[in-house]
């Protein structure tokens, strides 16, 4: 269906927001046979809450039993394991240790183990101080005890949503970037969504706008059930030699407010320390604060003393779309053909597939059905993690461009092509990891500027000969 | 291009001044096969992107611009018979010595009788320095700026702020001028300009406001840098700017060596070596700026040549025992290099090199078993050379700096 700009276009489902939840939701409806439009206001996907997380695939052992979050996390975890090989997605089965450092924390462990079992995670295992240290010799010997959650794993937080969206596109979904929803109207049968310079029609609208979900609700249905209360998380990433210091995800005993500061390996062979948990009103900017980053370094060194001798590769901050409620805020507005997915806090990466299925179930119950395709396509996403073979290991790769992360010319060219191609340096980083290593662009900026000159919406640099 | 050899006498990782001078010297000394592995698309190292003078006095006895100097180093090594392979990245080191490398052809393994690690140094990034604020485009180290201006013919910003006053910071200013970029300010956290005159006069000459005892409190901007908040002695100052050049605070590019099991000195950030450039692992040597931050291209060139002579000697007759240790007492000194002495053959590194963390005055001495071997009064400043002659024998020594109040 080719239509010129400014005309109306019809879809079964319009999903607002191409974060990890929006990508998974677009996938869920597309593989069920729906004609899906995914709308993203930013220049690229994953530009909001999804761009800063700890990349952990949670078992949900510490989720509040009986909550929507617990159900979505458990289902998201299960489905990720089920489909990841078919999409070429990595999994590092590191397991997690929940570590008690004080008497009080040690006393809290049995209750956490009970909670894990109530959540269906029954392979947890209590470890004494000695047993913990023999599994993780790098830990500070001041720890008291721990328990091990074997199923907690590390994944690639960029490739997973990219793979979900890739599968959606293979099933006819469309992605529009730089497409903010400015308003809309429901005529009793169909929604008309107003974008800059055009409008689109869809039977069903799903609001997956993350940090802005409450504002989108106000704009489209005139009411909201919750208010976003952004909670900032800052992170410090250590260079690759530090990854040898820990083989597990190292978790503190959680509090009511936060899961606390985690030390964990990454899918890219680094070591991560974070996040902080800082409430703020600004929904757009996650400001890095040197004192907080230095405190994270110190916390990391208290947990793994040898970390003192390692260097920081990257720093970043993300915003969790928390609300005044502890649980997710997912609501189907029946009679309005409209679903809101709000309040997806720390667990969104894990729960995305489960959340998408949960929402699909709600709309199915409300009478939305589609003609399922005869066959489901499973397009593979390129592996950029340490868990599988990388392009630099294969011939014809065009040579390495980003030396720290060993990103090849062929990988970069592929990431710039097609309907999902990167249109900004941030987007290219997330698809390939260029400039995300220890030198932060010292070596590859010049070559990247040349390769992306006519591709990015905002070029990395202007040409000198334009004067 | 022919395939990479599977076996060589000496493999050199890094085709900068140290690696190229070592290659030429090894060939001159009759070593049969010398392979230089350079990850960039051209060999030559950092000078390749320094479009300004002066280079080359020591090596070619005349002043040269960086790129011409780099080309001359490559030509000299190639004429001597070294096999130079650009666009080839070493991905791991292993005992043997063995190397795993990648290029357009995929992965290959190379066995060598000796490996010289000459991977140089790089500036500390914004992340490493934990600089706060948002993460807009247009924040980069001098090396990236030079790559963009001289390598890609591009201008990443028009009115940047420059953080740091080391020698390289003034190189950043010259690079800016080449591209008609006008820096709006130069900012130095300490109370004095770090580099020596005459470089230190450059901001004044060019009319660039200089802020001493000032650090960046916050970088602001969305897609691009919009402003920088400076924390000065008298309070915060906001400066409108469209970029930030984070300069200096070099550190050895030693991750490959560290992952390969070479012992790393946490003070220098590079591999620990003896006075012949031998690392902790048999067959692995190091020379140039991977040893310590940071020396001029000329000194790296000289170091590469000297370590090459030690390698050639070891290939003919393997080295004896490990040398005695050189340690550093607590104080204002940041590092001492080399970290071990050697009992066999003339030293390649013929003095102890030191640097200070902060300005200080006092007595600098070398001690063995608590007794002073030599010592004198000195005044030290950060990023300035401090040298001590090597002790005559092979026994453990300690460098002590007794600070005057």
């Amino acid at each position: 269906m080719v239509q010129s700009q400014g005309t109306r276009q019809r879809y079964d489902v319009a999903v607002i927001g191409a974060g990890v939840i929006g990508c998974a939701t677009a996938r869920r409806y597309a593989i069920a046979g729906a004609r899906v439009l995914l709308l993203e206001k930013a220049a690229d996907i994953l530009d909001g809450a999804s761009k800063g997380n700890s990349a952990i695939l949670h078992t949900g052992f510490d989720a509040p039993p009986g909550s929507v979050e617990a159900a979505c996390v458990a289902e998201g975890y299960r489905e990720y394991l089920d489909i990841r090989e078919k999409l070429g997605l990595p999994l590092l089965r590191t397991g997690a240790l929940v570590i008690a450092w004080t008497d009080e924390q040690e006393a809290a462990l049995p209750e956490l183990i009970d909670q894990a079992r109530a959540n269906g995670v029954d392979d947890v295992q209590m470890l004494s101080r000695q047993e913990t240290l023999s599994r993780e010799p790098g830990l500070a010997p001041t720890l008291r005890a721990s328990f091990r959650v074997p199923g907690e794993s590390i994944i690639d937080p960029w490739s997973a949503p990219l793979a979900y969206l890739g599968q959606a596109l293979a099933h006819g979904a469309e992605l529009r970037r730089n497409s903010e929803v400015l308003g809309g109207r429901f005529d009793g049968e169909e929604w008309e969504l107003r974008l800059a310079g055009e409008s689109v029609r869809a039977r069903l609208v799903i609001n997956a706008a993350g940090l802005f979900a409450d504002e989108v609700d106000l704009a489209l249905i005139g009411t909201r059930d919750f208010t976003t209360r952004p909670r900032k998380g800052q992170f410090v990433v250590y260079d690759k030699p530090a990854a040898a210091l820990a083989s597990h995800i190292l978790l503190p005993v959680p509090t009511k407010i936060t899961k606390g500061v985690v030390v964990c390996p990454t899918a890219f062979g680094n070591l991560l320390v974070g996040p902080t948990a800082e409430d703020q009103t600004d929904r757009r900017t996650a400001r890095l604060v040197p004192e907080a980053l230095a405190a994270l370094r110190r916390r990391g060194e208290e947990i793994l003393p040898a970390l003192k001798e390692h260097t920081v590769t990257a720093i970043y901050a993300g915003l969790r779309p928390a609300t005044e409620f502890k649980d997710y805020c997912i609501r189907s507005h029946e009679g309005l053909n409209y679903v809101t997915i709000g309040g997806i806090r720390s667990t969104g990466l894990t729960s995305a597939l489960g959340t998408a299925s949960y929402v699909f179930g709600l709309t199915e119950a409300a009478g939305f059905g589609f003609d399922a395709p005869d066959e489901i396509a499973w397009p593979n996403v390129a592996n950029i993690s340490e868990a599988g073979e990388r392009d630099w290991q294969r011939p014809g790769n065009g040579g390495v461009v980003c030396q720290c992360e060993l990103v090849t010319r062929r990988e970069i060219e592929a990431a710039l092509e097609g309907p999902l191609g990167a249109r900004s340096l941030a987007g290219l980083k997330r698809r390939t990891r260029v400039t995300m290593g220890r030198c932060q662009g010292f070596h590859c900026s010049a070559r990247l500027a040349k390769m992306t000159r006519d591709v990015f919406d905002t070029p990395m640099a202007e040409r000198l000969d334009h004067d | 291009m022919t395939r990479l050899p599977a076996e060589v006498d000496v493999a050199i990782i890094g085709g900068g001044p140290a690696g190229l001078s070592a290659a030429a010297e090894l060939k001159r000394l009759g070593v049969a096969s010398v392979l230089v592995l350079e990850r960039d698309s051209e060999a030559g190292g950092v000078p390749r992107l320094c479009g300004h003078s002066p280079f080359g006095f020591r090596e070619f006895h005349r002043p040269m611009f960086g790129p011409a100097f780099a080309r001359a180093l490559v030509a000299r090594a190639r004429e001597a018979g070294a096999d130079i392979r650009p666009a080839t990245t070493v991905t791991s080191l292993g005992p043997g010595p063995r190397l795993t490398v990648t290029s357009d052809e995929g992965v290959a393994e190379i066995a060598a009788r000796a490996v010289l690690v000459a991977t140089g140094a790089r500036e500390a990034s914004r992340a490493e320095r934990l600089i706060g604020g948002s993460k807009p485009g247009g924040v980069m180290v001098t090396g990236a700026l030079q790559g963009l201006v001289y390598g890609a013919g591009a201008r990443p910003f028009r009115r940047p702020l420059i953080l740091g006053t080391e020698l390289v910071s003034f190189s950043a200013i010259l690079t800016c001028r080449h591209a008609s970029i006008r820096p709006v300010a130069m900012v130095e956290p300490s109370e004095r300009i770090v580099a020596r005159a005459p470089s230190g006069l450059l901001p004044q000459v060019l009319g660039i406001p200089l802020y001493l005892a000032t650090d960046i409190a916050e970088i602001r901007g969305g897609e691009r840098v919009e402003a920088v908040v400076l924390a000065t002695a008298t309070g915060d100052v906001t400066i409108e700017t469209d970029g930030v050049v984070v300069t200096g605070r070099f550190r050895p590019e030693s991750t490959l060596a560290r992952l390969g099991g070479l012992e790393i000195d946490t003070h220098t950030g590079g591999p620990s070596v003896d006075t012949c450039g031998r690392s902790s692992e048999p067959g692995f040597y190091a020379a140039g700026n991977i040893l310590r931050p940071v020396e001029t291209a000329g000194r790296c060139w000289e170091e590469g040549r000297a370590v090459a002579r030690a390698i050639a000697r070891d290939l003919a007759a393997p080295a004896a025992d490990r040398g005695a240790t050189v340690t550093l007492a607590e104080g204002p000194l940041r590092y001492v290099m080399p970290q071990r002495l050697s009992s066999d053959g003339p030293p390649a590194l013929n003095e102890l090199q030191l640097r200070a963390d902060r300005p200080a005055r006092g007595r600098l001495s070398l001690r063995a078993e608590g007794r002073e071997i030599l010592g004198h009064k000195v005044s030290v400043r950060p990023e300035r050379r401090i040298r001590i002659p090597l002790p005559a024998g092979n026994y453990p020594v300690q460098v002590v700096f007794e600070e005057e109040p």
Side-chain angles (χ1 to χ4, degrees), chain B residues 36 49 73 103 107 189 212-215 220 256 284 310 312 324 352 390:
Chain B
V36 180
L49 295 173
L73 290 179
S103 66
V107 176
L212 294 175
T214 299
D215 213 341
R220 287 186 182 160
L256 178 71
F284 285 96
L352 299 179
L390 290 183

Side-chain angles (χ1 to χ4, degrees), chain A residues 347-381:
Chain A
T347 48
L349 179 64
T350 300
S351 81
L353 294 167
T355 301
S357 286
Y358 181 85
V359 169
F360 190 81
L362 292 180
T363 58
E364 204 170 36
F368 284 93
F370 312 96
D371 294 332
D374 296 335
E375 223 173 302
I376 292 186
W378 295 96
N380 253 252
V381 68

Side-chain angles (χ1 to χ4, degrees), chain B residues 164-218:
Chain B
T165 58
E166 295 179 34
L167 204 51
V168 68
S169 319
F170 299 97
S171 192
I173 292 184
L174 294 176
T175 306
C176 283
R177 285 181 61 79
H178 179 85
S180 309
I181 297 168
R182 309 235 171 270
V184 290
M186 193 166 204
V187 172
E188 169 57 42
S190 72
E191 280 160 19
R192 285 193 274 194
I193 290 178
V194 175
R196 281 176 194 278
S199 303
L201 299 172
L202 208 53
Q204 207 181 330
V205 170
L206 299 175
I208 301 169
L210 176 67
Y211 293 79
L212 294 175
T214 299
D215 213 341
I216 293 180
E218 184 188 340

Side-chain angles (χ1 to χ4, degrees), chain B residues 131-394:
Chain B
I131 296 172
S134 61
K135 288 179 75 177
V139 181
M140 64 191 69
V141 296
T142 315
L145 172 65
Q146 290 175 327
L148 284 165
V149 169
Y150 296 120
R155 181 196 292 126
F157 35 56
R158 284 174 177 267
R159 294 170 51 75
L161 178 139
I162 295 175
L163 175 64
T165 58
E166 295 179 34
L167 204 51
V168 68
S169 319
F170 299 97
S171 192
I173 292 184
L174 294 176
T175 306
C176 283
R177 285 181 61 79
H178 179 85
S180 309
I181 297 168
R182 309 235 171 270
V184 290
M186 193 166 204
V187 172
E188 169 57 42
S190 72
E191 280 160 19
R192 285 193 274 194
I193 290 178
V194 175
R196 281 176 194 278
S199 303
L201 299 172
L202 208 53
Q204 207 181 330
V205 170
L206 299 175
I208 301 169
L210 176 67
Y211 293 79
L212 294 175
T214 299
D215 213 341
I216 293 180
E218 184 188 340
I219 294 174
R220 287 186 182 160
E223 193 87 2
R224 311 285 310 168
V225 176
E226 286 157 22
V228 168
V229 181
L230 298 179
T232 75
T234 52
D236 284 359
V237 177
T238 302
I239 291 187
E240 278 183 33
T241 178
D242 62 353
V244 179
V245 191
V246 178
T247 70
R249 299 215 182 154
F250 279 90
R251 62 168 58 249
E253 184 79 308
S254 58
T255 302
L256 178 71
R258 188 171 193 170
L259 289 170
L262 272 61
E263 184 186 297
I264 300 294
D265 176 357
T266 54
H267 302 288
T268 57
S272 295
V273 291
D274 71 5
T275 45
C276 291
R278 303 178 186 113
S279 78
S280 63
E281 296 306 299
F284 285 96
Y285 299 75
N289 274 334
I290 189 180
L291 292 177
R292 103 264 72 192
V294 57
E295 267 300 347
T296 59
R299 283 178 174 263
C300 291
W301 177 84
E302 205 158 68
E303 233 167 53
R305 218 162 57 139
V307 172
R309 289 193 282 267
I311 293 173
R313 237 179 20 242
D314 285 358
L315 289 177
D321 294 343
R322 275 167 74 97
T325 57
V326 181
T327 52
L328 187 63
E330 289 279 310
L333 295 181
R334 180 148 59 110
Y335 66 70
V336 58
M337 194 287 295
Q339 295 83 354
R340 277 179 286 120
L341 303 172
S342 167
S343 55
D344 48 346
L349 306 164
N350 53 15
E351 56 197 4
L352 299 179
Q353 303 179 27
L354 306 106
R355 288 282 161 102
D357 263 331
R358 54 184 167 83
R361 279 172 194 283
R363 186 173 176 79
L364 177 65
S365 63
L366 192 62
R367 297 183 187 182
E369 292 179 341
R371 278 183 304 110
E372 183 172 306
I373 304 171
L374 58 90
H376 54 101
K377 283 185 92 165
V378 291
S379 164
V380 298
R381 285 176 63 179
E383 298 305 325
R384 300 284 167 82
R385 287 185 191 108
I386 310 164
R387 280 169 275 180
I388 303 180
L390 290 183
N394 181 18

Side-chain angles (χ1 to χ4, degrees), chain A residues 364-414:
Chain A
E364 204 170 36
F368 284 93
F370 312 96
D371 294 332
D374 296 335
E375 223 173 302
I376 292 186
W378 295 96
N380 253 252
V381 68
N383 173 58
I384 57 169
S385 79
E386 301 283 299
E389 195 189 36
R390 291 276 311 274
D391 196 47
W392 62 264
Q393 293 168 297
R394 293 184 283 257
N397 58 48
V400 171
V401 174
C402 168
Q403 301 289 346
C404 303
E405 298 297 315
L406 297 174
V407 184
T408 67
R409 184 175 186 93
R410 182 166 59 186
E411 282 177 306
I412 294 167
E413 285 168 352

Side-chain angles (χ1 to χ4, degrees), chain A residues 239 288 315 392 396 398 443 462, chain B residues 39 89 102 104 133 135 155 255:
Chain A
D239 197 9
L288 292 157
I315 50 179
W392 62 264
H443 284 283
E462 56 182 338
Chain B
R39 60 190 190 173
T89 302
T102 175
D104 180 44
K135 288 179 75 177
R155 181 196 292 126
T255 302

